[in-house]
Every structure is written in C-alpha cells, then in structure tokens.
Amino acid sequence: MPESVPSSLIIDAFKEIFQSERRGAKRQDPFGWIISVPDTHQKSVLAALDKERSLRVLTCSTEDDANAVAAGLYMTGEPVIVMIQHAGLYASVNTIRGISMDGKIPIFYMIGLLSREKDRDPKDSRHSMVRFAEPLLDVFSIPHARMEGPDDVKLIAEYYRKSRERKGPAAVLVGLETA
C-alpha cells in the first residue's frame, strides 16, 4: 500500500544528488536548483524548500517555462530538478519532446499524481490524468518509476542519473501527496 513520503527525505535526496554533481567544482552555493510550477501534491516539499538555504527554488508560471529554464541552467553547468504535477506533464509534452528529447538536454522530473487513490494502482484510477500519466511517459520512452513510500526515495538519485546518462528526460512519479 502506498504511503506519503516525508519532505525531509526528498530534500536530503536532492542535496546528496547536487553535492555529488558539485564535487570538485569551485562553485558550491547553491548546491543546485529546483524549478517548480505551483504544485499542491508536493506542497510540503516546496514549503520546506522555502526554508532551505543550500538549494535555490525558482517558481515558474508554466511547465513550458520550467523546461526552458531547466535547460538554460543545465547548459551553464548547474544541476537542476523540475517539480510539476501530472497536469503539467500533459500541458508540456511538446516542450519536453523539443527541449529534453530532441535537444538532448537531461531533465529530471518529479511529477505529482494529484488525486491518486491510495487503494488503487494508477492504471485503475477513476481519474484519467492519473490513469494516463505512466502510459504517456511510455509512449515517449521516458524512463520512470513510482515513489510509493519512504523506501523509494532512492529512485530520485537513480532516475536523476538516468536523465544524465541518456541525455534526455527521466521521471519519478510521486504517488501520494508528500508529508
């Protein structure tokens, strides 16, 4: 049964990823960038990030903007993670294709499955946005995994690395609202 993941575990994972990226680099502050579009599903993480001084958060108005900013930061050598909801995945498919896939820009996404029912697999959800998120990622051959509880936090680093290795998008779907 899926369970909420504490925001502190997610932020620690972000820090570890970014510190690993920064080893040997002159610039250490900030460790990295979180690009977000307002997301109620991951609001506890975003609220905790507001207090975090070692990570920078930039809130964008659209997922298309978030993808472009993430690409620009990547091109300047900055480590970056994009946090969106599944509605934003649907809204930005063409930008993900153009920037991350065709442009070969490694972008790692944390995608909140808003309205995910705890007692159902997403493929059996009553909500089409939840039900079709993973199949959409499959259509575009975007590697992805579901974070279903605290033990799955390790997937963040794994799929971040996958985005770098493949020079394209990779995602972790946040199964339940973060705690």
Side-chain angles (χ1 to χ4, degrees):
M1 180 77 56
E3 57 184 289
S4 293
V5 178
S7 57
S8 60
L9 293 179
I10 294 170
I11 291 172
D12 287 347
F14 291 170
K15 287 180 183 177
E16 287 174 25
I17 290 166
F18 292 154
Q19 285 175 322
S20 176
E21 289 265 312
R22 294 278 194 204
R23 292 208 204 296
K26 289 182 187 176
R27 187 164 169 216
Q28 295 290 320
D29 183 35
F31 289 150
W33 292 81
I34 308 299
I35 309 302
S36 73
V37 178
D39 178 2
T40 56
H41 194 72
Q42 299 178 77
K43 67 183 172 203
S44 67
V45 176
L46 294 171
L49 283 167
D50 281 344
K51 298 175 184 95
E52 185 58 53
R53 297 293 156 234
S54 61
L55 302 172
R56 293 244 171 90
V57 179
L58 179 64
T59 303
C60 294
S61 57
T62 71
E63 289 76 14
D64 291 336
D65 295 343
N67 281 298
V69 169
L73 286 167
Y74 169 77
M75 287 187 261
T76 64
E78 293 292 319
V80 61
I81 290 172
V82 175
M83 292 178 64
I84 60 175
Q85 282 183 171
H86 56 38
L89 168 66
Y90 294 105
S92 65
V93 155
N94 190 48
T95 305
I96 292 170
R97 181 212 44 83
I99 291 176
S100 192
M101 295 171 72
D102 294 352
K104 301 195 181 318
I105 302 292
I107 299 178
F108 170 70
Y109 299 90
M110 295 276 296
I111 303 171
L113 291 176
L114 182 66
S115 300
R116 158 86 192 279
E117 302 101 336
K118 188 174 187 170
D119 62 338
R120 293 179 185 218
D121 190 273
K123 72 179 187 300
D124 299 323
S125 178
R126 291 183 303 265
H127 306 283
S128 62
M129 299 273 284
V130 173
R131 194 170 55 248
F132 297 135
E134 289 175 309
L136 178 63
L137 293 169
D138 291 338
V139 164
F140 284 91
S141 300
I142 296 174
H144 59 89
R146 231 185 285 148
M147 190 167 61
E148 298 280 52
D151 291 341
D152 295 332
V153 168
K154 65 186 176 291
L155 296 169
I156 296 170
E158 180 183 338
Y159 280 78
Y160 180 90
R161 276 192 310 277
K162 279 185 194 280
S163 74
R164 289 341 188 228
E165 291 165 1
R166 69 188 303 260
K167 293 186 175 22
V172 166
L173 295 137
V174 181
L176 295 179
E177 189 172 318
T178 57

